[in-house]
Amino acid sequence: DNFTYDSRPIPARRGDITDRNGTILAYSTKVYNLIIDSKVMLSEEEYRQPTVEALAKHFPELDINALNDFLNENASKDKKSSYKRFLQELSSKDVEAFEVEMKASKNIKGVWFEAEYKRTYPFASLASDFIGFSSKNNGGEIGVESVYEKFLAGVDGRQYGYIDESEYKSQVIPAVNGSTIVTTIDYSIQNIIDN
């Protein structure tokens, strides 16, 4: 009864797609979503103000009024929904300084970063019918992205464990990243044809 179960996915990185010379036509970059856990942040009175101030300092684009409204709505002990995503697609540079401050402070609590991957096509629409595209949930929709889905997708991992008042004991099943697909097209020739 004193333990809480926690389980979080570890996303697999989708494999790259290259031309025959190794020029990258599609790749995935790790991005982070800012998650607020009001249950943890409001568990002790001294956590809320320092956490909100640190968030305001490091993330000027964060709507502090919306954050405070969310915290006020979830202040009730019997409230069930305590997680909310506030910012999306932050880079590792965006979150690094905040994480350093959070580790150094005993009063910044209830914030974590959910990792996911964003698909990027550096040459925009070049050979887009052939390459295809990946949806928001990281699945291939048409073209190479779809046909070679089982090779590109990889397998998500999971971090899970039990939390008691003093510590978190976790186990990790690591993610298996997707494979790179090397196509037979040549970027230079394809660019001339597209133009």
Side-chain angles (χ1 to χ4, degrees):
D1 287 346
N2 293 329
F3 283 75
T4 303
Y5 180 73
D6 179 55
S7 176
R8 295 180 191 170
I10 301 172
R13 183 182 183 277
R14 192 171 181 81
D16 297 340
I17 299 174
T18 73
D19 79 346
R20 67 182 183 182
N21 299 312
T23 303
I24 296 175
L25 306 174
Y27 65 94
S28 294
T29 307
K30 190 179 263 191
V31 293
Y32 300 88
N33 301 319
L34 172 67
I35 308 295
I36 301 297
D37 184 343
S38 62
K39 186 176 180 181
V40 173
M41 193 186 299
L42 300 172
S43 64
E44 298 291 337
E45 198 172 306
E46 63 266 19
Y47 295 161
R48 179 173 177 164
Q49 194 59 34
T51 304
V52 171
E53 287 173 3
L55 286 165
K57 180 173 94 175
H58 291 284
F59 304 104
E61 68 275 26
L62 178 64
D63 185 343
I64 297 300
N65 291 330
L67 172 61
N68 280 316
D69 289 345
F70 170 73
L71 293 171
N72 291 336
E73 288 168 14
N74 286 279
S76 168
K77 297 258 189 229
D78 57 328
K79 191 75 175 174
K80 300 288 185 209
S81 174
S82 65
Y83 295 97
K84 185 171 180 183
R85 180 186 297 175
F86 274 86
L87 296 175
Q88 293 180 289
E89 296 186 4
L90 299 167
S91 70
S92 57
K93 283 180 111 176
D94 293 334
V95 303
E96 191 175 320
F98 179 84
E99 285 185 325
V100 167
E101 186 172 341
M102 186 167 63
K103 285 177 184 169
S105 171
K106 293 179 180 177
N107 291 332
I108 298 176
K109 302 286 183 187
V111 179
W112 51 279
F113 297 95
E114 172 187 67
E116 64 181 17
Y117 285 95
K118 179 183 176 184
R119 197 67 164 165
T120 303
Y121 301 92
F123 302 109
S125 63
L126 179 91
S128 58
D129 290 338
F130 172 72
I131 296 168
F133 65 94
S134 175
S135 65
K136 183 76 175 156
N137 63 0
N138 211 20
E141 297 298 323
I142 61 171
V144 172
E145 292 275 24
S146 175
V147 173
Y148 294 98
E149 171 68 17
K150 69 178 182 178
F151 300 104
L152 288 166
V155 178
D156 288 346
R158 183 154 296 279
Q159 178 177 354
Y160 62 95
Y162 288 92
I163 306 165
D164 66 16
E165 291 179 5
S166 60
E167 64 181 316
Y168 176 58
K169 296 177 183 176
S170 71
Q171 293 186 346
V172 175
I173 299 171
V176 178
N177 293 332
S179 300
T180 295
I181 300 291
V182 179
T183 66
T184 58
I185 67 171
D186 183 298
Y187 162 75
S188 301
I189 295 169
Q190 187 66 41
N191 194 36
I192 291 166
I193 293 167
D194 278 15
N195 288 330

